[in-house]
Amino acid sequence: HIQDPASQRLTWNKPPKSVLVIKKIRDASLLQPFKELCVYLTEENNMIVYVEKKVLEDPAIANDENFGPVKKKFCTFREDYDDISNQIDFIICLGGDGTLLYASSLFQGSVPPVMAFHLGSLGFLTPFNFENFQSQVTQVIEGNAALVLRSRLKVKVVKEHRDKSSVQNGIEENGVVSANLEKEVGKQIMQYQVLNEVVVDRGPSSYLSNVDVFLDGHLITTVQGDGVIVSTPTGSTAYAAAAGASMIHPNVPAIMITPICPHSLSFRPIVVPAGVELKIMLSPDARNTAWVSFDGRKRQEICHGDSISITTSCYPLPSICVRDPVSDWFESLAQCLHWNVRKKQNNFGVEEEE
Protein backbone atom coordinates (compact mmCIF):
# COMPACT_ATOMS: atom_id res chain seq x y z
CA HIS A 1 0.00 0.00 0.00
CA ILE A 2 1.41 3.38 -1.03
CA GLN A 3 0.33 6.17 1.28
CA ASP A 4 -1.28 9.25 -0.21
CA PRO A 5 0.91 12.24 0.83
CA ALA A 6 -2.25 14.28 1.47
CA SER A 7 -3.27 11.85 4.24
CA GLN A 8 -0.43 12.94 6.53
CA ARG A 9 -1.99 15.24 9.11
CA LEU A 10 -0.76 16.84 12.33
CA THR A 11 -2.56 15.49 15.40
CA TRP A 12 -1.78 16.16 19.07
CA ASN A 13 -2.21 13.56 21.81
CA LYS A 14 -2.53 16.51 24.20
CA PRO A 15 -2.49 20.27 23.56
CA PRO A 16 1.03 21.63 22.92
CA LYS A 17 2.48 23.74 25.72
CA SER A 18 6.05 24.58 24.68
CA VAL A 19 7.33 26.11 21.45
CA LEU A 20 10.87 26.77 20.24
CA VAL A 21 11.19 30.03 18.29
CA ILE A 22 14.22 30.18 16.00
CA LYS A 23 15.11 33.59 14.57
CA LYS A 24 17.74 34.35 12.00
CA ILE A 25 20.60 36.11 13.79
CA ARG A 26 21.80 39.61 12.81
CA ASP A 27 18.72 40.50 10.75
CA ALA A 28 17.09 43.71 11.95
CA SER A 29 14.03 43.17 9.75
CA LEU A 30 13.04 40.15 11.87
CA LEU A 31 12.98 41.95 15.22
CA GLN A 32 9.40 43.21 14.94
CA PRO A 33 7.93 39.89 13.67
CA PHE A 34 9.84 38.08 16.42
CA LYS A 35 8.43 40.35 19.12
CA GLU A 36 4.87 40.14 17.76
CA LEU A 37 5.03 36.34 17.59
CA CYS A 38 6.45 35.96 21.10
CA VAL A 39 3.83 38.30 22.61
CA TYR A 40 1.09 36.33 20.84
CA LEU A 41 2.45 32.97 22.03
CA THR A 42 2.99 33.95 25.67
CA GLU A 43 0.03 36.28 26.33
CA GLU A 44 -2.67 34.93 23.98
CA ASN A 45 -1.87 31.21 24.13
CA ASN A 46 0.02 30.87 27.46
CA MET A 47 2.78 28.92 25.72
CA ILE A 48 6.22 28.28 27.19
CA VAL A 49 8.60 29.88 24.68
CA TYR A 50 12.17 28.64 24.26
CA VAL A 51 14.65 30.99 22.60
CA GLU A 52 18.35 30.64 21.98
CA LYS A 53 20.32 32.78 24.43
CA LYS A 54 22.28 34.65 21.74
CA VAL A 55 19.01 35.87 20.17
CA LEU A 56 18.19 37.82 23.35
CA GLU A 57 21.68 39.34 23.42
CA ASP A 58 20.78 41.47 20.39
CA PRO A 59 20.94 45.13 21.63
CA ALA A 60 17.62 45.94 19.92
CA ILE A 61 15.92 43.29 22.07
CA ALA A 62 17.97 43.74 25.24
CA ASN A 63 17.30 47.51 25.32
CA ASP A 64 13.58 47.32 24.51
CA GLU A 65 11.80 48.12 27.79
CA ASN A 66 8.35 47.24 26.41
CA PHE A 67 9.58 43.76 25.51
CA GLY A 68 11.13 43.21 28.96
CA PRO A 69 8.10 41.58 30.67
CA VAL A 70 7.71 39.11 27.77
CA LYS A 71 11.42 38.34 27.72
CA LYS A 72 11.37 37.37 31.41
CA LYS A 73 8.99 34.51 30.60
CA PHE A 74 11.37 32.92 28.08
CA CYS A 75 13.32 29.72 28.63
CA THR A 76 16.78 30.06 27.08
CA PHE A 77 19.31 27.53 25.81
CA ARG A 78 22.74 27.41 24.17
CA GLU A 79 23.52 25.31 21.11
CA ASP A 80 25.75 22.27 21.84
CA TYR A 81 25.48 22.84 25.60
CA ASP A 82 21.82 22.50 26.61
CA ASP A 83 19.67 19.52 25.56
CA ILE A 84 16.09 20.63 24.90
CA SER A 85 15.11 17.70 22.68
CA ASN A 86 12.50 16.35 25.13
CA GLN A 87 11.03 19.71 26.13
CA ILE A 88 9.70 21.10 22.82
CA ASP A 89 6.23 20.39 21.39
CA PHE A 90 6.70 22.26 18.12
CA ILE A 91 9.06 24.72 16.43
CA ILE A 92 8.50 28.05 14.68
CA CYS A 93 11.23 29.35 12.35
CA LEU A 94 11.55 32.99 11.30
CA GLY A 95 13.98 33.49 8.43
CA GLY A 96 15.09 31.63 5.33
CA ASP A 97 15.80 27.99 4.58
CA GLY A 98 18.89 28.16 6.80
CA THR A 99 16.71 28.46 9.91
CA LEU A 100 15.02 25.15 9.09
CA LEU A 101 18.40 23.47 8.56
CA TYR A 102 19.55 24.91 11.88
CA ALA A 103 16.42 23.59 13.61
CA SER A 104 17.17 20.14 12.18
CA SER A 105 20.72 20.24 13.56
CA LEU A 106 19.44 20.92 17.09
CA PHE A 107 17.55 17.61 17.18
CA GLN A 108 19.73 14.58 16.58
CA GLY A 109 16.85 12.29 17.49
CA SER A 110 13.11 12.82 17.11
CA VAL A 111 12.19 16.26 15.70
CA PRO A 112 9.03 18.19 16.74
CA PRO A 113 6.79 19.54 13.94
CA VAL A 114 8.27 22.65 12.34
CA MET A 115 6.31 25.69 11.14
CA ALA A 116 8.57 27.85 8.96
CA PHE A 117 7.78 31.47 8.04
CA HIS A 118 9.32 32.91 4.89
CA LEU A 119 11.33 35.91 6.05
CA GLY A 120 14.63 35.19 4.31
CA SER A 121 16.13 35.35 0.84
CA LEU A 122 14.96 32.10 -0.81
CA GLY A 123 12.20 30.44 1.18
CA PHE A 124 11.92 27.09 -0.60
CA LEU A 125 11.44 25.26 2.71
CA THR A 126 9.56 28.09 4.46
CA PRO A 127 6.05 28.20 2.98
CA PHE A 128 4.23 30.45 5.49
CA ASN A 129 3.82 34.21 5.06
CA PHE A 130 3.88 36.24 8.26
CA GLU A 131 0.92 38.56 7.53
CA ASN A 132 -1.67 36.12 8.93
CA PHE A 133 0.53 34.46 11.53
CA GLN A 134 -2.08 34.54 14.35
CA SER A 135 -4.67 32.43 12.53
CA GLN A 136 -2.04 30.10 11.08
CA VAL A 137 -0.36 29.48 14.44
CA THR A 138 -3.77 28.88 16.02
CA GLN A 139 -4.56 26.26 13.39
CA VAL A 140 -1.33 24.44 14.20
CA ILE A 141 -1.98 24.56 17.95
CA GLU A 142 -5.44 23.12 17.29
CA GLY A 143 -3.92 20.34 15.16
CA ASN A 144 -5.48 21.45 11.89
CA ALA A 145 -2.58 21.15 9.42
CA ALA A 146 -1.00 18.89 6.81
CA LEU A 147 2.51 17.49 7.25
CA VAL A 148 5.33 16.40 5.01
CA LEU A 149 7.86 14.06 6.62
CA ARG A 150 11.22 15.18 5.25
CA SER A 151 13.66 12.27 5.47
CA ARG A 152 17.10 12.92 6.92
CA LEU A 153 20.43 11.15 6.49
CA LYS A 154 22.16 9.41 9.37
CA VAL A 155 25.87 9.96 8.87
CA LYS A 156 28.73 8.30 10.74
CA VAL A 157 32.27 9.57 10.30
CA VAL A 158 35.02 7.20 11.45
CA LYS A 159 38.48 8.74 11.71
CA GLU A 160 41.77 7.03 12.37
CA HIS A 161 43.37 8.41 15.52
CA ARG A 162 46.15 10.87 14.77
CA ASP A 163 48.38 12.92 17.05
CA LYS A 164 47.18 16.23 15.55
CA SER A 165 43.54 15.41 16.04
CA SER A 166 40.88 18.08 15.69
CA VAL A 167 39.16 16.58 18.73
CA GLN A 168 40.97 16.40 22.04
CA ASN A 169 39.34 15.30 25.31
CA GLY A 170 35.92 15.62 23.70
CA ILE A 171 36.40 19.29 22.74
CA GLU A 172 36.45 20.32 19.08
CA GLU A 173 38.59 23.12 17.66
CA ASN A 174 35.77 25.65 18.03
CA GLY A 175 35.37 24.80 21.73
CA VAL A 176 32.14 22.86 21.33
CA VAL A 177 31.73 19.76 23.44
CA SER A 178 31.27 16.71 21.21
CA ALA A 179 28.35 14.98 22.93
CA ASN A 180 27.99 12.49 20.08
CA LEU A 181 31.66 11.50 20.02
CA GLU A 182 32.57 7.91 20.79
CA LYS A 183 36.08 6.57 21.13
CA GLU A 184 37.32 3.21 20.00
CA VAL A 185 40.86 1.92 20.01
CA GLY A 186 42.65 4.18 17.56
CA LYS A 187 39.38 5.58 16.13
CA GLN A 188 37.06 8.54 16.60
CA ILE A 189 33.39 8.24 15.64
CA MET A 190 31.06 11.20 15.08
CA GLN A 191 27.40 11.03 14.07
CA TYR A 192 25.19 13.63 12.43
CA GLN A 193 21.57 13.97 11.26
CA VAL A 194 21.47 15.76 7.90
CA LEU A 195 18.41 17.29 6.24
CA ASN A 196 19.82 18.49 2.90
CA GLU A 197 23.08 16.87 1.90
CA VAL A 198 26.50 15.50 2.70
CA VAL A 199 29.14 17.08 0.46
CA VAL A 200 32.57 15.53 -0.09
CA ASP A 201 34.91 17.83 -2.02
CA ARG A 202 38.57 18.32 -2.81
CA GLY A 203 38.94 21.32 -0.51
CA PRO A 204 41.88 23.68 -1.19
CA SER A 205 43.85 21.09 -3.17
CA SER A 206 44.57 21.66 -6.86
CA TYR A 207 44.18 17.92 -7.59
CA LEU A 208 40.94 16.16 -8.50
CA SER A 209 39.17 14.46 -5.62
CA ASN A 210 39.50 10.70 -5.86
CA VAL A 211 36.98 8.95 -3.60
CA ASP A 212 35.46 5.47 -3.71
CA VAL A 213 31.68 5.08 -3.23
CA PHE A 214 30.36 1.78 -1.87
CA LEU A 215 26.70 0.74 -1.76
CA ASP A 216 25.82 -2.02 0.73
CA GLY A 217 29.48 -3.06 0.74
CA HIS A 218 29.98 -3.13 -3.05
CA LEU A 219 32.17 -0.61 -4.85
CA ILE A 220 29.88 1.14 -7.36
CA THR A 221 32.10 3.97 -8.62
CA THR A 222 35.14 6.13 -8.04
CA VAL A 223 34.47 9.87 -8.18
CA GLN A 224 37.14 11.84 -9.99
CA GLY A 225 36.25 15.51 -10.07
CA ASP A 226 35.50 18.27 -7.59
CA GLY A 227 33.53 15.94 -5.32
CA VAL A 228 30.18 14.26 -4.75
CA ILE A 229 26.85 15.25 -3.16
CA VAL A 230 24.74 12.69 -1.28
CA SER A 231 21.35 14.30 -0.72
CA THR A 232 17.86 13.66 0.55
CA PRO A 233 14.83 14.48 -1.64
CA THR A 234 14.59 17.74 0.34
CA GLY A 235 18.22 18.48 -0.58
CA SER A 236 17.63 17.62 -4.24
CA THR A 237 16.39 21.18 -4.85
CA ALA A 238 19.45 22.71 -3.16
CA TYR A 239 23.11 21.99 -4.05
CA ALA A 240 22.17 18.86 -6.04
CA ALA A 241 19.89 20.79 -8.42
CA ALA A 242 22.61 23.40 -8.91
CA ALA A 243 24.98 20.54 -9.86
CA GLY A 244 22.56 19.21 -12.49
CA ALA A 245 20.47 16.67 -10.58
CA SER A 246 16.74 16.09 -10.88
CA MET A 247 14.36 17.50 -8.29
CA ILE A 248 12.61 14.89 -6.14
CA HIS A 249 9.48 15.43 -4.06
CA PRO A 250 10.23 15.01 -0.31
CA ASN A 251 7.69 12.18 -0.01
CA VAL A 252 9.76 9.96 -2.32
CA PRO A 253 11.87 7.48 -0.29
CA ALA A 254 15.26 7.91 -1.94
CA ILE A 255 18.88 9.00 -1.67
CA MET A 256 20.47 10.94 -4.54
CA ILE A 257 24.13 10.72 -5.56
CA THR A 258 25.30 13.69 -7.65
CA PRO A 259 28.87 14.30 -8.85
CA ILE A 260 30.35 17.81 -8.68
CA CYS A 261 32.06 18.65 -11.98
CA PRO A 262 33.06 15.04 -12.77
CA HIS A 263 35.95 14.57 -15.19
CA SER A 264 33.83 12.14 -17.19
CA LEU A 265 31.20 12.38 -19.91
CA SER A 266 29.17 9.48 -18.52
CA PHE A 267 28.84 10.20 -14.80
CA ARG A 268 25.19 11.17 -14.38
CA PRO A 269 23.32 11.78 -11.09
CA ILE A 270 21.61 8.61 -9.81
CA VAL A 271 18.81 7.87 -7.33
CA VAL A 272 19.07 4.84 -5.02
CA PRO A 273 16.46 3.45 -2.63
CA ALA A 274 16.13 4.90 0.86
CA GLY A 275 17.62 2.54 3.44
CA VAL A 276 20.71 1.43 1.53
CA GLU A 277 24.05 2.13 3.20
CA LEU A 278 26.55 4.23 1.31
CA LYS A 279 30.18 4.37 2.34
CA ILE A 280 32.65 6.95 1.02
CA MET A 281 36.41 6.65 1.44
CA LEU A 282 39.50 8.14 -0.14
CA SER A 283 40.79 5.92 -2.93
CA PRO A 284 44.06 4.20 -1.95
CA ASP A 285 45.92 6.04 -4.74
CA ALA A 286 44.32 9.45 -4.09
CA ARG A 287 46.88 12.27 -4.31
CA ASN A 288 45.25 14.42 -1.66
CA THR A 289 42.79 14.37 1.22
CA ALA A 290 39.11 15.29 0.92
CA TRP A 291 36.79 17.51 2.95
CA VAL A 292 33.25 16.82 4.10
CA SER A 293 30.43 19.04 5.37
CA PHE A 294 26.92 18.31 6.63
CA ASP A 295 24.23 20.79 5.55
CA GLY A 296 27.12 23.21 5.11
CA ARG A 297 28.24 22.85 8.75
CA LYS A 298 30.87 20.93 10.75
CA ARG A 299 33.32 20.96 7.82
CA GLN A 300 36.29 18.64 8.39
CA GLU A 301 39.14 16.89 6.61
CA ILE A 302 38.97 13.23 5.56
CA CYS A 303 42.28 11.38 5.28
CA HIS A 304 43.35 7.91 4.13
CA GLY A 305 41.76 5.28 6.38
CA ASP A 306 38.80 7.50 7.34
CA SER A 307 35.28 6.64 6.19
CA ILE A 308 31.85 8.26 5.88
CA SER A 309 28.81 5.97 6.23
CA ILE A 310 25.43 7.33 5.11
CA THR A 311 21.95 5.86 5.31
CA THR A 312 18.36 7.04 5.74
CA SER A 313 17.64 8.20 9.30
CA CYS A 314 14.68 6.87 11.23
CA TYR A 315 14.09 10.43 12.52
CA PRO A 316 12.51 12.56 9.74
CA LEU A 317 11.72 16.25 10.10
CA PRO A 318 7.93 16.87 10.15
CA SER A 319 7.39 20.07 8.18
CA ILE A 320 3.98 21.75 8.49
CA CYS A 321 2.34 22.64 5.16
CA VAL A 322 0.31 25.69 4.21
CA ARG A 323 -2.03 23.57 2.06
CA ASP A 324 -0.68 20.08 1.35
CA PRO A 325 2.69 18.46 0.46
CA VAL A 326 2.13 18.42 -3.32
CA SER A 327 0.68 21.95 -3.71
CA ASP A 328 3.33 23.49 -1.43
CA TRP A 329 6.18 21.83 -3.34
CA PHE A 330 5.05 22.94 -6.79
CA GLU A 331 4.36 26.43 -5.44
CA SER A 332 7.96 26.57 -4.15
CA LEU A 333 9.33 25.34 -7.49
CA ALA A 334 7.49 28.11 -9.33
CA GLN A 335 8.02 30.95 -6.85
CA CYS A 336 11.61 30.28 -5.73
CA LEU A 337 13.24 28.51 -8.68
CA HIS A 338 10.93 29.81 -11.44
CA TRP A 339 10.42 26.24 -12.64
CA ASN A 340 8.62 26.09 -16.01
CA VAL A 341 8.01 29.83 -15.97
CA ARG A 342 7.75 30.96 -19.59
CA LYS A 343 5.73 33.46 -21.57
CA LYS A 344 2.88 31.52 -23.21
CA GLN A 345 2.69 31.09 -26.95
CA ASN A 346 -0.11 33.08 -28.57
CA ASN A 347 -3.01 31.12 -29.99
CA PHE A 348 -4.12 31.50 -33.62
CA GLY A 349 -6.64 34.19 -34.40
CA VAL A 350 -9.84 33.31 -36.34
CA GLU A 351 -8.46 34.63 -39.63
CA GLU A 352 -5.18 32.72 -39.24
CA GLU A 353 -7.04 29.46 -38.58
CA GLU A 354 -9.08 29.88 -41.75
Side-chain angles (χ1 to χ4, degrees):
H1 175 68
I2 299 176
Q3 185 179 17
D4 178 8
S7 68
Q8 296 174 357
R9 305 289 300 181
L10 172 64
T11 56
W12 301 108
N13 293 326
K14 55 183 179 179
K17 292 294 183 184
S18 58
V19 57
L20 168 62
V21 177
I22 295 177
K23 184 187 83 69
K24 185 179 178 183
I25 304 295
R26 295 184 297 276
D27 190 336
S29 67
L30 297 183
L31 290 174
Q32 191 58 35
F34 173 73
K35 293 175 183 179
E36 291 179 17
L37 174 65
C38 291
V39 168
Y40 179 73
L41 291 170
T42 54
E43 296 185 358
E44 299 290 331
N45 293 280
N46 296 317
M47 302 286 289
I48 301 170
V49 177
Y50 284 77
V51 177
E52 192 169 10
K53 192 172 183 181
K54 63 184 178 184
V55 169
L56 299 183
E57 293 170 355
D58 189 314
I61 293 177
N63 300 329
D64 189 337
E65 296 180 359
N66 296 328
F67 195 59
V70 177
K71 192 170 64 174
K72 289 179 182 178
K73 298 178 183 179
F74 289 160
C75 294
T76 60
F77 73 97
R78 295 172 298 168
E79 182 189 6
D80 291 324
Y81 284 92
D82 301 317
D83 183 12
I84 58 170
S85 56
N86 294 321
Q87 300 167 34
I88 305 299
D89 292 330
F90 74 103
I91 304 168
I92 297 179
C93 293
L94 302 177
D97 292 347
T99 57
L100 189 70
L101 294 172
Y102 178 65
S104 172
S105 71
L106 294 175
F107 294 86
Q108 294 298 298
S110 179
V111 188
V114 181
M115 183 181 193
F117 285 94
H118 170 39
L119 291 162
S121 56
L122 183 61
F124 194 91
L125 306 177
T126 52
F128 286 92
N129 291 319
F130 196 74
E131 289 84 10
N132 306 315
F133 79 92
Q134 293 99 333
S135 61
Q136 292 173 326
V137 170
T138 300
Q139 281 190 335
V140 170
I141 293 173
E142 293 173 351
N144 181 22
L147 278 180
V148 56
L149 296 178
R150 298 184 177 276
S151 66
R152 299 196 292 175
L153 298 174
K154 182 176 75 172
V155 187
K156 182 172 73 171
V157 179
V158 180
K159 289 190 173 184
E160 297 287 342
H161 183 72
R162 297 173 183 86
D163 292 338
K164 295 182 179 180
S165 173
S166 63
V167 183
Q168 297 177 347
N169 300 324
I171 307 293
E172 295 182 5
E173 288 179 340
N174 59 5
V176 174
V177 179
S178 298
N180 55 357
L181 177 73
E182 302 174 20
K183 287 194 175 182
E184 292 183 0
V185 178
K187 294 184 184 296
Q188 295 167 342
I189 301 177
M190 288 156 284
Q191 294 195 12
Y192 306 93
Q193 297 283 331
V194 175
L195 179 61
N196 260 359
E197 73 273 303
V198 179
V199 177
V200 180
D201 63 76
R202 63 189 176 97
S205 172
S206 60
Y207 296 113
L208 294 174
S209 71
N210 201 331
V211 295
D212 294 335
V213 180
F214 299 84
L215 191 148
D216 287 342
H218 303 286
L219 177 66
I220 57 170
T221 191
T222 297
V223 180
Q224 295 185 95
D226 281 355
V228 65
I229 304 165
V230 179
S231 64
T232 63
T234 294
S236 71
T237 48
Y239 195 173
S246 294
M247 296 177 287
I248 304 176
H249 189 277
N251 275 111
V252 177
I255 298 174
M256 178 172 276
I257 303 170
T258 307
I260 308 171
C261 298
H263 200 238
S264 166
L265 295 176
S266 60
F267 196 162
R268 306 285 293 178
I270 61 171
V271 179
V272 297
V276 301
E277 181 165 355
L278 296 169
K279 189 173 185 179
I280 300 176
M281 301 180 69
L282 275 180
S283 298
D285 54 353
R287 293 183 177 185
N288 57 301
T289 62
W291 288 75
V292 62
S293 61
F294 314 93
D295 283 342
R297 295 162 58 89
K298 308 288 186 184
R299 185 168 165 81
Q300 54 196 271
E301 191 173 16
I302 298 297
C303 302
H304 283 95
D306 300 343
S307 66
I308 306 162
S309 297
I310 305 168
T311 190
T312 305
S313 170
C314 59
Y315 300 111
L317 183 143
S319 181
I320 299 172
C321 303
V322 173
R323 287 186 290 172
D324 61 77
V326 175
S327 299
D328 282 17
W329 192 66
F330 278 102
E331 181 72 15
S332 294
L333 286 182
Q335 293 296 322
C336 300
L337 300 183
H338 292 178
W339 178 76
N340 202 26
V341 174
R342 179 190 182 277
K343 186 178 179 181
K344 287 192 175 182
Q345 187 180 47
N346 292 330
N347 64 344
F348 285 129
V350 177
E351 294 179 0
E352 289 176 301
E353 287 180 354
E354 292 176 353

